[in-house]
């Protein structure tokens, strides 16, 4: 009987919250816990709370739930805080992108080389980064021993920022590593007999070890590429794990890219919609294209409707959508269970590069690698073989530098750094273009303006 | 009486060779030495040899000279080898640039962000880099205790390459740090009372310490900027040490850029001729513009004529051009004298980053910093204050990475790396553009083709 408090910040996202709640119900050791659901959207919070209570009862779990719109109240006394909130919501990101595109920045200024993911906003979503720090500082103050589980993006910039600026025990979570499952399934390999490792940064993750029954499995992958890759077609815009982009990146860097890494190549794959369709497949050209993104926006709208549908659903339907005996695949609750129950669990987490698992990268940068978690803490695996130097110097380093520039502009509230960052963007043709896009952001995004106007006070 | 052999490779450049020979004559301790002049251009070699003998006699120096077209013969038994040769000459660089411009690469593909200097060829002049290695390997074999003094560009790529690939005792030389003299003169400061340091890479050098009579002298520089910089005008295209570019870089990075660093900013200063004129001044727009480069090409032609003129000149004229009592300002001979005579001498040299003088940069990368040289070796100064982090992360790191990409493409003879390098160039609009420029280089530059065709043999 754990009897701990687990806080979920930004719990208004029904599907994600129910995945976590489901996982808590499935873990015997977490029985007796208090789950604190926090959101600023009362209506959605009420709906999710009711669903969580109902689900828990339906599966016979012994859990307590609270709902609150007060961040402090949710964090106070919590042993684990999961931050999944997207400040300002999707509409802010769309507005930002629109300002960028109006000024010649296709897909918006946050969409940078090696960070092409359209909703991983590192430059413009200052409200989100400030909220990350707010939550971390509250955790530090109100429940200083708690683990802070960062689930909302940008995980790379966010975790590193929190680590450097606060004393919170911060970890980053992502499910992108499941791309390894997709590969092994496509190759007809039993994932249980695979011995694999991934290493890199969040959304910059590479399959360093890939071994089957004790033998290197890369040759099996090579065979698939030679013989079967030509038949590959995307099932949806996000289905790119085995796309021509992934194969091209593998051929150049020497290891296979995993998860959203495939979306994060260089401009080679992203010059325009036609180029995107060539690399990511017809008809969408991947998730970060006009068509792919329209598909995604529609899905986001659908998700809101899903919440209403779920609220009206019968228990049987709820249990069908979130089966009581199948873990969600998210790692947050397995992490909590491993810590509380001292149950050694292998997870792929974002942690500081203290053991130099990613060579040449300073230790105050967050990397994504396999670790084993138990009640004593987090034990990083030795990455063997290591990431190839070519990959480190040509892929990870440029991405790392962009992280440093982004968080330095943010921390120092220095528009000069942001402008210089944009000067280095291949889409920039003149200094005037940079001035114009910054002017647009300052005039139309209150959060952004507030953040960068505050410099004089510091 | 030193009685050593000093080899000058690429001695056919009369002005440079006479500067070195003059310095040798001026150093009592080097009396009795043998100076071996080596070049593959017989006519120029003969002319320079005759001039050197004549100059030495005229000033009453006790030196022996030999001339040879055989690299091995010149290096064998030398204690110091100065490599100043430009393989393929200026016309090769012009040809390379022309192929680049034809394919949409303004000023050629070697002209990269943070390496805008038009004759610092890191990507296309494979013959030059191979010659660097040839010389180094011969030094290793034929006179293994000799110091190899790398004077020819690219010094940054070249010294690092030689250090990693051979066992030669390699050092890089540049005179760009004399920009500090220019600044102190403009500010009316006596250079003798200045306490200053520079740090960075070759052509990426920053005035970290600038102190006058024990007090920080940056405020004096700030005053000059506020009050007098508006009256500044370039004397020639290369005169940019106090240009608006230098001031803008200083305002952003927090330290003043020194020497060719001013030419090596981001595209902000280089988008086109009009932008260049704005930043580098009228009428040329700096050295790396159409007009500035025409001025330079004319000067190069003039230099050839100068050699003829020198050959026909009287001794008195020769002594007027190379005054016996004034050191040339080049550091090669002061270095040799310091080692041989155990005379502690402060120089600005390119050495491996072993003492972490440039933070975050690996120790197998060559940095440019002040050192004290004596017979025991090279003693790097502690850089105090250190380079600001902003400067390291936003300026030095991107340049460092481009060095790694360039020498990795070269070492592995991997056109794929070169292509990927170009994909990241803001001038690249499509993969086809990259293929076209590489095709041009392969078809029209025999050295380049030979280098990259040889991959199958390895």
């Amino acid at each position: 009987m754990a009897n701990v408090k687990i806080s979920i910040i930004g719990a208004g996202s029904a599907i994600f919250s129910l995945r976590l709640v489901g996982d808590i119900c499935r873990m015997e050791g977490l029985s007796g816990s208090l789950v604190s659901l926090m959101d600023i959207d009362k209506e959605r919070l009420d709906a999710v709370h009711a669903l969580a209570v109902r689900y828990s009862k339906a599966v016979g779990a012994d859990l307590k739930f609270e709902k609150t719109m007060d961040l402090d109240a949710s964090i106070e006394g919590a042993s684990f805080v999961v931050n999944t909130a997207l400040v300002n919501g999707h509409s802010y990101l769309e507005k930002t992108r629109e300002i960028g595109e109006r000024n010649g920045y296709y897909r918006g200024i946050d969409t940078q080389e090696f960070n092409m993911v359209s909703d991983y906003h590192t430059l413009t979503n200052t409200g989100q980064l400030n909220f990350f720090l707010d939550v971390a500082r509250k955790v530090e103050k109100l429940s200083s021993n708690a683990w802070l589980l960062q689930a909302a993006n940008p995980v790379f910039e966010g975790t590193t920022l929190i680590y450097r600026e606060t004393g919170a025990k911060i970890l980053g979570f992502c499910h992108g590593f499941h791309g390894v499952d997709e590969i092994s399934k496509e190759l007809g390999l039993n994932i249980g007999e695979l011995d694999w490792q991934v290493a890199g940064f969040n959304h910059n993750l590479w399959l360093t070890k890939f071994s089957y029954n004790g033998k290197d499995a890369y040759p099996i992958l090579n065979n698939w590429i030679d013989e079967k890759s030509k038949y590959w077609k995307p099932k949806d815009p996000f289905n790119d794990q085995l796309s021509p982009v992934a194969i091209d990146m593998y051929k150049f860097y020497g290891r296979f890219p995993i998860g959203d890494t495939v979306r994060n190549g260089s401009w080679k794959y992203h010059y325009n919609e036609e180029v995107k369709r060539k690399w990511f497949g017809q008809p969408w050209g991947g998730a970060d294209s006009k068509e792919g993104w329209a598909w995604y926006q529609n899905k986001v709208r659908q998700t809101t409707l899903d919440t209403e549908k779920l609220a009206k659903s019968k228990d049987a339907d709820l249990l069908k959508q979130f089966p009581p005996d199948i873990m969600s695949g998210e790692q947050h609750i397995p992490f909590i269970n491993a810590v509380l129950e001292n149950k050694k669990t292998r997870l792929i987490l974002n942690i500081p590069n203290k053991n130099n698992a990613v060579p040449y990268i300073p230790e105050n940068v967050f990397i994504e690698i396999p670790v084993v978690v138990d009640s004593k803490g987090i034990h990083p695996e030795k990455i063997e073989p290591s990431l190839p130097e070519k990959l480190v110097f040509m892929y990870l380093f440029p991405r790392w530098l962009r992280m440093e520039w982004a968080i330095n502009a943010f921390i120092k509230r220095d528009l000069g750094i942001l402008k210089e960052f944009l000067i280095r963007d291949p889409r920039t043709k003149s200094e005037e273009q940079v001035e114009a896009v910054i002017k647009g952001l300052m005039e139309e995004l209150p959060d952004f303006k507030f953040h960068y106007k505050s410099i004089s006070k510091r």
Side-chain angles (χ1 to χ4, degrees), chain A:
Chain A
M1 189 102 155
N3 223 351
V4 296
K5 179 176 175 183
I6 300 169
S7 161
I8 302 177
I9 312 296
S13 163
I15 305 280
F16 185 76
S17 292
L18 280 174
R19 285 161 73 95
L20 296 197
V21 166
D23 284 347
I24 301 174
C25 293
R26 287 167 206 124
M27 290 289 189
E28 240 174 87
L30 301 186
S31 171
S33 300
L34 166 63
V35 181
S36 173
L37 303 168
M38 187 271 157
D39 206 290
I40 53 166
D41 184 326
K42 187 173 184 313
E43 202 175 325
R44 294 175 67 182
L45 181 63
D46 286 345
V48 170
H49 180 258
L51 279 165
V53 170
R54 192 148 70 84
Y55 184 85
S56 169
K57 238 181 232 166
V59 299
D62 172 22
L63 293 175
K64 292 179 287 275
F65 291 93
E66 67 172 34
K67 58 179 174 179
T68 176
M69 293 170 68
D70 180 356
L71 189 56
D72 290 45
S74 187
I75 290 174
E76 186 151 26
S79 296
F80 302 92
V81 176
V82 180
N83 183 4
T84 180
L86 174 57
V87 172
N88 294 319
H90 290 279
S91 61
Y92 184 93
L93 306 188
E94 295 304 332
K95 179 73 193 158
T96 293
R97 178 161 23 252
E98 196 255 300
I99 297 168
E101 296 211 324
R102 200 195 302 157
N103 288 289
Y105 295 93
Y106 171 64
R107 303 296 306 151
I109 67 166
D110 294 279
T111 308
Q112 289 279 350
E113 196 149 56
F114 311 109
N115 181 32
M116 299 287 186
V117 171
S118 298
D119 48 350
Y120 202 90
H121 283 219
T122 59
L123 302 181
T124 57
N125 202 354
T126 50
Q128 178 81 338
L129 296 177
N130 273 314
F131 185 70
F132 286 2
L133 290 179
D134 278 355
V135 170
R137 290 191 180 116
K138 283 181 195 298
V139 168
E140 210 183 337
K141 194 174 140 197
L142 301 172
S143 56
S144 60
N145 275 321
W147 282 102
L148 173 53
L149 286 62
Q150 183 65 37
N153 281 325
V155 164
F156 183 36
E157 272 77 5
T159 50
T160 304
L161 178 68
I162 292 167
Y163 180 73
R164 293 185 188 177
E165 297 289 304
T166 79
K169 283 159 64 182
I170 174 74
L171 292 172
F173 285 73
C174 187
H175 46 225
F177 68 89
H178 284 305
V180 180
D181 304 352
E182 191 180 334
I183 294 171
S184 59
K185 209 170 149 188
E186 178 69 35
L187 302 185
L189 306 177
N190 180 353
I191 185 87
E193 279 155 76
L194 268 180
D195 182 12
W196 59 274
Q197 286 185 320
V198 286
F201 306 135
N202 181 238
H203 288 197
N204 294 248
L205 197 63
W206 300 82
L207 186 60
T208 46
K209 187 200 276 181
F210 187 50
S211 171
Y212 196 63
N213 288 327
K215 272 175 65 183
D216 183 15
Y218 261 108
I220 305 174
L221 183 50
N222 294 341
N223 268 345
W224 181 89
I225 291 170
D226 291 344
E227 288 166 21
K228 299 197 180 157
S229 64
K230 56 179 173 283
Y231 305 115
W232 176 89
K233 271 198 175 66
K235 295 172 193 72
D236 62 59
F238 287 80
N239 177 229
D240 56 15
Q241 185 57 72
L242 287 154
S243 66
V245 186
I247 295 168
D248 192 64
M249 289 172 85
Y250 162 52
K251 285 187 177 165
F252 183 68
Y253 293 109
R255 299 278 105 184
F256 216 81
I258 298 298
D260 281 331
T261 315
V262 181
R263 288 161 78 185
N264 286 330
S266 69
W267 282 99
K268 181 177 171 184
Y269 312 115
H270 293 275
Y271 286 120
N272 54 48
E273 302 289 318
E274 193 192 331
V275 168
K276 281 179 190 263
R277 279 193 296 273
K278 175 188 154 190
W279 286 107
F280 288 92
Q282 302 277 1
W284 303 284
D288 307 294
S289 66
K290 278 212 165 56
E291 293 205 38
W293 202 246
W295 182 95
Y296 174 69
Q297 285 175 308
N298 190 43
K299 201 168 177 308
V300 170
R301 277 190 294 274
Q302 205 58 43
T303 309
T304 318
L305 297 177
D306 280 352
T307 311
E308 293 170 25
K309 239 197 306 191
L310 277 176
K312 289 176 200 155
S313 69
K314 290 181 185 148
D315 282 4
D317 292 329
L318 200 58
L319 293 177
K320 204 174 155 193
Q321 187 160 352
F322 302 94
D325 50 344
I326 302 176
M327 292 295 287
S328 71
E330 298 291 347
Q331 304 184 102
H332 312 77
I333 309 308
F335 169 79
I336 294 172
N337 187 60
V339 170
L340 293 176
E341 296 289 296
N342 194 24
K343 185 180 176 325
K344 283 191 190 307
T345 307
R346 187 185 200 240
L347 301 170
I348 311 300
L349 295 188
N350 289 268
I351 60 169
N353 189 29
K354 280 194 185 160
N355 296 25
N356 206 28
V358 177
Y360 299 102
I361 298 291
E363 61 176 44
N364 67 352
V365 173
F366 266 56
I367 58 164
E368 191 165 313
I369 54 163
V371 300
V372 173
V373 180
D374 60 23
S375 65
K376 288 200 200 71
I378 293 154
H379 315 286
E381 288 184 6
K382 182 172 162 50
I383 302 301
E384 189 70 50
S386 186
L387 285 156
E389 282 217 343
K390 183 177 180 180
L391 199 161
V392 174
F393 283 124
M394 298 202 75
Y395 187 92
L396 294 179
F397 259 100
R399 177 64 184 98
W400 166 47
L401 286 183
R402 284 164 176 80
M403 180 278 280
E404 293 288 349
W405 305 342
I407 72 175
N408 270 297
F410 173 81
I411 291 171
K412 294 180 182 139
R413 298 175 186 243
D414 185 344
L415 272 181
I417 295 179
L418 204 52
K419 287 176 188 175
E420 186 61 32
F421 192 148
L422 288 177
I423 286 284
R424 292 148 194 223
D425 188 305
R427 295 165 298 182
T428 299
K429 306 286 169 265
S430 71
E431 230 187 311
E432 291 71 31
Q433 184 185 354
V434 171
E435 294 294 341
V437 75
I438 295 289
K439 187 161 174 275
L441 296 169
M442 290 294 273
E443 282 174 0
E444 297 173 53
L445 302 176
D447 255 14
F448 184 85
K449 181 179 177 177
F450 177 79
H451 185 78
Y452 282 105
K453 275 288 178 197
S454 317
I455 185 165
S456 52
K457 295 181 206 144
R458 288 165 76 99

